Amino acid sequence: MNTESDTEPGPDTGPGAGTGADAESATVVAGRRFEPDLRSMTRITLRPIASPMPLGFFTIALASVMTGCLQLGVFDEAARGAVAFTVLPAFVLQLLVSHLAFGARDVIAATLMAVFAGSWLPYALVMLTEAPGGLEVLGVFNLALLVFGALMIAVTRPKRALWLVLVVSAPRWAATGLAGITGAEWLTRTSGVLGLAVALVALYAAFALMLEDMRSEEVLPIGRSGPAHLAVEGDLSVQLRNLERQAGVRRTL
């Protein structure tokens, strides 16, 4: 949900103010005018949106299948460019998901999808250009993603779908990173198998979230807990709690 702040116009506090009801809305002290407290006249508008998370998970699944098949030798080395072209749209789609998730006030999902988007773009460009040392650079990049994944795993447990995708993705990032640095074929194959595992988990999460959205109830277990569970099962007061202190409403990030 996006948040917007609308301030309703207050009483006239111009040169003719100072008597009757207007005297209560503004005070003049030593030539200085003090405007009334506008907090009581402020309205915050919430705009519901469709959840972008199924699109994000489906995108992860499709891109993981293509890269995993390349690593497993289903495609030969000459197909690298074609695989890169099929993975490149994942960058755009997951960037869109991240943008919508930020608007929906879900910083964890937005950050995760943005980083996934940022991982597909360099992979696609390196594969397309066949840049010298590209595999080694991608190896180090994947090890950096592993550190990011470990940090995200620590905070996403209440969102079990995101958490599970990260739990499966982390060993894949490790295998891909070490394979790029060492050139070990067995690590590349291992990464391919883990890529298909990531795809299966992401497909399940996307399908479960779509069913939940269509039927307005949990059909397949997703495993939300804590604040994530309250956000779905709680009443409106839970959703609006501390809204005035959230980014987009408060003055500073």
Side-chain angles (χ1 to χ4, degrees):
M1 293 186 292
N2 286 346
T3 58
E4 298 175 356
S5 178
D6 295 324
T7 302
E8 298 176 355
D12 183 15
T13 57
T19 62
D22 289 345
E24 300 176 1
S25 63
T27 304
V28 178
V29 178
R32 296 183 61 188
R33 181 178 300 275
F34 294 87
E35 297 296 336
D37 189 347
L38 300 180
R39 287 176 293 182
S40 63
M41 294 182 281
T42 299
R43 299 293 181 267
I44 298 173
T45 303
L46 305 178
R47 181 171 63 88
I49 63 172
S51 173
M53 296 309 294
L55 173 60
F57 284 129
F58 275 130
T59 302
I60 291 174
L62 292 173
S64 296
V65 166
M66 299 309 297
T67 56
C69 287
L70 179 63
Q71 291 172 316
L72 288 172
V74 176
F75 308 125
D76 58 32
E77 290 299 312
R80 282 189 177 188
V83 171
F85 273 118
T86 62
V87 170
L88 191 57
F91 162 71
V92 179
L93 292 175
Q94 292 206 267
L95 197 60
L96 172 63
V97 172
S98 175
H99 171 73
L100 294 173
F102 275 119
R105 300 185 293 146
D106 193 331
V107 66
I108 292 177
T111 301
L112 179 64
M113 290 297 162
V115 172
F116 266 109
S119 68
W120 298 126
L121 181 61
Y123 174 86
L125 293 179
V126 168
M127 292 294 105
L128 281 172
T129 60
E130 297 183 354
L135 293 179
E136 290 82 358
V137 171
L138 287 178
V140 175
F141 181 68
N142 275 276
L143 292 179
L145 284 176
L146 175 62
V147 176
F148 160 80
L151 296 175
M152 290 295 290
I153 287 171
V155 299
T156 56
R157 193 175 185 85
K159 295 173 173 289
R160 199 57 58 88
L162 288 174
W163 180 80
L164 194 55
V165 170
L166 281 167
V167 166
V168 183
S169 297
R172 193 200 183 191
W173 285 328
T176 304
L178 293 174
I181 294 173
T182 64
E185 186 66 21
W186 71 271
L187 283 172
T188 300
R189 304 296 186 196
T190 300
S191 178
V193 172
L194 291 171
L196 298 183
V198 171
L200 287 175
V201 174
L203 280 173
Y204 174 84
F207 186 61
L209 289 172
M210 289 188 70
L211 282 178
E212 180 182 69
D213 187 72
M214 291 173 60
R215 301 187 184 181
S216 299
E217 62 179 0
E218 186 177 287
V219 180
L220 296 175
I222 299 177
R224 293 187 185 96
S225 63
H229 176 75
L230 288 176
V232 175
E233 301 295 336
D235 57 23
L236 186 60
S237 63
V238 175
Q239 314 302 313
L240 303 181
R241 187 177 297 160
N242 296 323
L243 182 63
E244 68 275 10
R245 296 183 181 87
Q246 294 187 8
V249 179
R250 65 177 186 251
R251 186 170 182 173
T252 177
L253 295 177

